[in-house]
Amino acid sequence: MQRLFLMLSEKDRRRYAGIEAAKLGHGGIEYVSGLFDMDPKTVRRGLVELEVSEDPAPSRIRKKRCGT
């Protein structure tokens, strides 16, 4: 899971974390945020983004930083 996570864009990382948290149910957000070293707010945002039927900015993806 972690290797796949590192290959994803920032937007896809949020959404993937949201999917995994939703699968786990109660306590999933905290578990996934610890697993992927993310802020729990970011995981919650990923969950919200999954509920939206259309991506408001489909082509907008940040470039990865050097060393990442």
Side-chain angles (χ1 to χ4, degrees), residues 4-62:
L4 172 64
F5 180 79
L6 293 174
M7 293 180 203
L8 299 173
S9 69
E10 180 180 357
K11 186 186 304 186
D12 291 335
R13 286 181 184 192
R14 280 194 308 269
R15 292 175 181 175
Y16 180 61
I19 288 170
E20 294 300 328
K23 287 183 351 185
L24 292 172
H26 182 72
I29 292 173
E30 290 79 18
Y31 179 79
V32 169
S33 68
L35 178 67
F36 294 138
D37 194 28
M38 299 177 82
D39 191 296
K41 292 179 197 174
T42 305
V43 180
R44 285 188 200 95
R45 183 175 173 194
L47 282 166
V48 169
E49 288 177 358
L50 290 171
E51 298 296 321
V52 177
S53 61
E54 190 174 311
D55 187 356
S59 62
R60 184 174 175 200
I61 297 176
R62 288 191 209 192

